[in-house]
Amino acid sequence: MSSPRNRKVPSLAASAVGALALAGLTVLPGTASAAPATGATATTATAAAAAAAPQAGGTTVVRNERQLRRAVLKANRVEGTATIRLASSIGFGPDRPTRGGALRGDLDLTDDLVVRGRGNAIDANQVDRIFDVRDGVTLRLRGVVLRNGQAPETESGGAIRSTGGDVTVRGSQVLDSTASGEGASGGAIVNDQGLLTVARSRLLRNTATRAGGAVEANLGTTVVLGTRMNFNNTGATPGNGGALHLTGAGEVTVTGSWVKNNTASAEGGGLWNSATGDFTVTGTELGGNTAAGAEATNGGGAVYNDGGTLTVSDSRMMNNEATGAAGSGGALLAVGAGDVRVENSELVGNTAPRAGGAIEVADGVVEVWRSELVGNSTGSAPGNGGALHATAATSEVRVLRSRVSGNTASSEGGGLWNSAGATMEVRGSVFTENVAEGDEADNGGGALFNNGGTLQVTRSDIDRNVANGTNGSGGGILTDGGTLEVTQTDITDNTAVRAGGGIEADIGDTTVSQSLLDGNSTGSTPGNGGGLHLTGAGTVAVENSSVTGNTASNEGGGLWNSATGTLSVTATEIVGNTASGAEANAGGGGLYNDGGQLTVDGSTIDDNTADGAAGSGGGVLNVNGTLTMSGTTLDGNSAVRAGGGIETNVGQVTLTNVDTTNNDTGANPGNGGGLHVTAGATVLWTGGTVTGNDAAAQGGGLWNSDTGSITATGLTVEGNTAPEGPEFYNVGGPFVLNGTPVPPS
């Protein structure tokens, strides 16, 4: 038990020696001053000075509790640093007196002390804590085992309490110690406004009711080096920081250490940083830690940041869990307007029921730099952000030069998930084999999900991600409102069951620039937009990009635009895409417009296919919408039914300086090799060429329905082939070619 600071009482050297002898302690050379010599060699003044201020020196060897307590009492009474060596392990007796300084209860230190254990233990036997270090006092433990410390009820520091002291635990162990009762923290050690250094030591199986299963730091400076903090835990009030907890504006550094298998009943299974704390973790492994809090703001299986400054570098966070009903952040949970930086680190196999399998960002700025987020996952409540989830509109997330692979979200954002109003920047990163399993049409986003915030993806690779729910959308990216900007990025071989094999955009503004959409595909429900699909009244711009080799099981092998959407394609290659829908209004191997506004300028639409039983529009299929195209070439496209180059089913089409060459149809029925007009569509074509196209039945170049309208000016139509009307075929609607009416065929 603590006692008031002991007064340093002068005593004669001879008396000190006598006291040690009575206590049965070994007196080594230099333990106490010898009696003054007779004669002129020693003056009365010198003797008086020696008596008035005796000095500690040498080492006191102790073998039992009584010797230990007497040695500590002596160390408190003499100036300087005393040293005690344990010659054997020592256990405390069964009594817990209420007072007594060093002689009763815990060992109160009021002056500097070094304890060398050589592997021997001080076992408190749950009688009391072991050391109570006062303000300004230094304690050095070397090779000591502290075991079964028990702080007095509601007090902190099960084995060591330091109130403004300077404590170093080196090459030692603190085991099975407890701080219990309301507000009790630091099962092994509490550092209250002092300096604590734990180096090359083990802090195992310690428990605190409030916080800091092993260590509680309140303000001050705490340094952990090369140390194992394992199997520590907290109680339930509130239950934060299974291994280490920082309160207030302190500084904590954990370097080259192991933080494993610790448990917090609420937050920070391993480590917990305060709103004003400065916490640095370097070269450390955090594994198998658990945070069990049930609220959405609870969790952080390995680390919890409550708004302070947290840096994790060159570290590994593996198989940590947030296990509460709505627990978030399997490895790391950032709450409050703090700054978090994760650098050169690995976050592997972490899990959370609600969101953020590896990282949950509830607020503040989080930067992930040159790191790997691999194999993390969420549960189903709701199950978003397999690797990282940003909740608050005030969040700022940057993922830079990192790898996000093999993560799973049970609903949305197999890799990353961004909230409404928040900003997420992804740069120079790789996303591969992430999975979003949500069943709804607005679930998915195998690699990334943007829920109405601002998502910027630059110079990255998004490859082989999956939205595999019943109606999952956006195999690579799903953006639901907000702003999506994709620049200099390859989006390849991603898959979605419903739509948007590469990208699904549901309202909002999406820009794809200088990027590649290649080899992406959809399933069959309904299976639209192999490369990109726009749902709702959104705006999509595809610029200076390549859309190649994508597949839709129904419509829009490359790109698909909604009835209320606006899709613009500029200076882009749309090549080798396939739409496999069987109906006459399905197809659009390169592009499909479902009634919205589709603009194509300065682009190339080549070698695309509508290969369904009655698939139409090998290059482009426009259904009830407005298609405006200029300075564009359609070459080598093919459709089974009609419109090898372009099919417009109703709607309005304006073509300026557009060339359709070498496009063809199959035989069902096989009309309009270059362009086919179905029903009451209107086409205005100015400039360009229709050459080398082929239809299996009618209209090798152009085909017009009985209610359709084609007006072409300055258009070259030649070298096309078909059994009937090799250059053009008119069923009966208005058709004027270069000023000359074309009569019904």
PDB file of all heavy atoms in Angstrom, residues 62 217 219 257 277 283 312 394 413 497 565 669 673 724 729:
ATOM      1  N   VAL A  62      19.848 -10.078  -1.626  1.00  0.00           N
ATOM      2  CA  VAL A  62      18.746 -10.490  -0.762  1.00  0.00           C
ATOM      3  C   VAL A  62      18.243 -11.857  -1.187  1.00  0.00           C
ATOM      4  O   VAL A  62      18.293 -12.232  -2.358  1.00  0.00           O
ATOM      5  CB  VAL A  62      17.597  -9.464  -0.791  1.00  0.00           C
ATOM      6  CG1 VAL A  62      18.087  -8.092  -0.340  1.00  0.00           C
ATOM      7  CG2 VAL A  62      16.979  -9.368  -2.178  1.00  0.00           C
ATOM      8  N   ALA A 217      -0.834   4.084 -19.642  1.00  0.00           N
ATOM      9  CA  ALA A 217      -0.019   5.291 -19.658  1.00  0.00           C
ATOM     10  C   ALA A 217      -0.955   6.491 -19.553  1.00  0.00           C
ATOM     11  O   ALA A 217      -1.820   6.677 -20.400  1.00  0.00           O
ATOM     12  CB  ALA A 217       0.793   5.374 -20.945  1.00  0.00           C
ATOM     13  N   LEU A 219      -0.755  10.354 -19.638  1.00  0.00           N
ATOM     14  CA  LEU A 219       0.199  11.398 -19.994  1.00  0.00           C
ATOM     15  C   LEU A 219       1.601  10.783 -20.037  1.00  0.00           C
ATOM     16  O   LEU A 219       1.763   9.600 -20.284  1.00  0.00           O
ATOM     17  CB  LEU A 219       0.118  12.570 -19.016  1.00  0.00           C
ATOM     18  CG  LEU A 219      -1.283  13.170 -18.792  1.00  0.00           C
ATOM     19  CD1 LEU A 219      -1.238  14.227 -17.690  1.00  0.00           C
ATOM     20  CD2 LEU A 219      -1.827  13.758 -20.077  1.00  0.00           C
ATOM     21  N   SER A 257       8.400  -5.132 -31.353  1.00  0.00           N
ATOM     22  CA  SER A 257       7.754  -5.889 -30.286  1.00  0.00           C
ATOM     23  C   SER A 257       6.681  -6.824 -30.839  1.00  0.00           C
ATOM     24  O   SER A 257       6.404  -6.846 -32.035  1.00  0.00           O
ATOM     25  CB  SER A 257       7.156  -4.922 -29.261  1.00  0.00           C
ATOM     26  OG  SER A 257       8.175  -4.185 -28.608  1.00  0.00           O
ATOM     27  N   GLY A 277      -3.272  11.899 -27.843  1.00  0.00           N
ATOM     28  CA  GLY A 277      -2.043  11.135 -27.739  1.00  0.00           C
ATOM     29  C   GLY A 277      -1.235  11.131 -29.019  1.00  0.00           C
ATOM     30  O   GLY A 277      -1.733  11.414 -30.113  1.00  0.00           O
ATOM     31  N   GLY A 283       7.928  -1.733 -36.619  1.00  0.00           N
ATOM     32  CA  GLY A 283       8.542  -3.045 -36.636  1.00  0.00           C
ATOM     33  C   GLY A 283       7.941  -4.024 -35.659  1.00  0.00           C
ATOM     34  O   GLY A 283       8.657  -4.826 -35.061  1.00  0.00           O
ATOM     35  N   VAL A 312       1.786   3.696 -37.777  1.00  0.00           N
ATOM     36  CA  VAL A 312       2.155   2.286 -37.757  1.00  0.00           C
ATOM     37  C   VAL A 312       3.036   2.039 -38.972  1.00  0.00           C
ATOM     38  O   VAL A 312       2.593   2.225 -40.114  1.00  0.00           O
ATOM     39  CB  VAL A 312       0.921   1.369 -37.808  1.00  0.00           C
ATOM     40  CG1 VAL A 312       1.342  -0.088 -37.798  1.00  0.00           C
ATOM     41  CG2 VAL A 312      -0.027   1.666 -36.649  1.00  0.00           C
ATOM     42  N   THR A 394     -16.767  13.304 -42.861  1.00  0.00           N
ATOM     43  CA  THR A 394     -15.564  14.093 -42.599  1.00  0.00           C
ATOM     44  C   THR A 394     -14.285  13.276 -42.768  1.00  0.00           C
ATOM     45  O   THR A 394     -13.189  13.784 -42.530  1.00  0.00           O
ATOM     46  CB  THR A 394     -15.607  14.656 -41.175  1.00  0.00           C
ATOM     47  OG1 THR A 394     -15.889  13.593 -40.257  1.00  0.00           O
ATOM     48  CG2 THR A 394     -16.707  15.703 -41.050  1.00  0.00           C
ATOM     49  N   GLY A 413     -18.112  -3.398 -51.385  1.00  0.00           N
ATOM     50  CA  GLY A 413     -16.729  -2.974 -51.260  1.00  0.00           C
ATOM     51  C   GLY A 413     -15.815  -4.060 -50.753  1.00  0.00           C
ATOM     52  O   GLY A 413     -15.327  -3.994 -49.633  1.00  0.00           O
ATOM     53  N   VAL A 497     -22.281 -10.185 -61.416  1.00  0.00           N
ATOM     54  CA  VAL A 497     -23.404 -11.024 -61.823  1.00  0.00           C
ATOM     55  C   VAL A 497     -24.435 -10.220 -62.597  1.00  0.00           C
ATOM     56  O   VAL A 497     -24.908 -10.637 -63.661  1.00  0.00           O
ATOM     57  CB  VAL A 497     -24.051 -11.689 -60.597  1.00  0.00           C
ATOM     58  CG1 VAL A 497     -25.355 -12.381 -60.970  1.00  0.00           C
ATOM     59  CG2 VAL A 497     -23.081 -12.676 -59.964  1.00  0.00           C
ATOM     60  N   GLY A 565     -29.653   8.421 -68.313  1.00  0.00           N
ATOM     61  CA  GLY A 565     -28.239   8.717 -68.147  1.00  0.00           C
ATOM     62  C   GLY A 565     -27.662   9.524 -69.289  1.00  0.00           C
ATOM     63  O   GLY A 565     -28.247   9.643 -70.370  1.00  0.00           O
ATOM     64  N   PRO A 669     -32.683 -11.618 -89.288  1.00  0.00           N
ATOM     65  CA  PRO A 669     -32.772 -11.959 -90.712  1.00  0.00           C
ATOM     66  C   PRO A 669     -31.553 -11.536 -91.519  1.00  0.00           C
ATOM     67  O   PRO A 669     -31.375 -11.966 -92.660  1.00  0.00           O
ATOM     68  CB  PRO A 669     -34.000 -11.179 -91.163  1.00  0.00           C
ATOM     69  CG  PRO A 669     -33.979  -9.980 -90.289  1.00  0.00           C
ATOM     70  CD  PRO A 669     -33.435 -10.421 -88.967  1.00  0.00           C
ATOM     71  N   GLY A 673     -25.967  -4.004 -93.014  1.00  0.00           N
ATOM     72  CA  GLY A 673     -24.587  -4.282 -92.630  1.00  0.00           C
ATOM     73  C   GLY A 673     -23.910  -3.102 -91.964  1.00  0.00           C
ATOM     74  O   GLY A 673     -23.196  -3.247 -90.975  1.00  0.00           O
ATOM     75  N   GLU A 724     -30.028  -8.460-101.450  1.00  0.00           N
ATOM     76  CA  GLU A 724     -30.995  -7.448-101.884  1.00  0.00           C
ATOM     77  C   GLU A 724     -30.513  -6.077-101.421  1.00  0.00           C
ATOM     78  O   GLU A 724     -30.237  -5.879-100.244  1.00  0.00           O
ATOM     79  CB  GLU A 724     -32.380  -7.717-101.289  1.00  0.00           C
ATOM     80  CG  GLU A 724     -33.030  -8.999-101.756  1.00  0.00           C
ATOM     81  CD  GLU A 724     -34.430  -9.136-101.178  1.00  0.00           C
ATOM     82  OE1 GLU A 724     -35.302  -8.284-101.482  1.00  0.00           O
ATOM     83  OE2 GLU A 724     -34.633 -10.072-100.382  1.00  0.00           O
ATOM     84  N   TYR A 729     -31.246  -0.275 -98.608  1.00  0.00           N
ATOM     85  CA  TYR A 729     -32.545  -0.918 -98.747  1.00  0.00           C
ATOM     86  C   TYR A 729     -33.537  -0.102 -97.932  1.00  0.00           C
ATOM     87  O   TYR A 729     -33.301   0.193 -96.768  1.00  0.00           O
ATOM     88  CB  TYR A 729     -32.495  -2.357 -98.229  1.00  0.00           C
ATOM     89  CG  TYR A 729     -33.715  -3.174 -98.543  1.00  0.00           C
ATOM     90  CD1 TYR A 729     -33.749  -4.019 -99.645  1.00  0.00           C
ATOM     91  CD2 TYR A 729     -34.856  -3.108 -97.734  1.00  0.00           C
ATOM     92  CE1 TYR A 729     -34.866  -4.787 -99.937  1.00  0.00           C
ATOM     93  CE2 TYR A 729     -35.984  -3.859 -98.025  1.00  0.00           C
ATOM     94  CZ  TYR A 729     -35.978  -4.694 -99.123  1.00  0.00           C
ATOM     95  OH  TYR A 729     -37.091  -5.445 -99.430  1.00  0.00           O
TER      96      TYR A 729
END
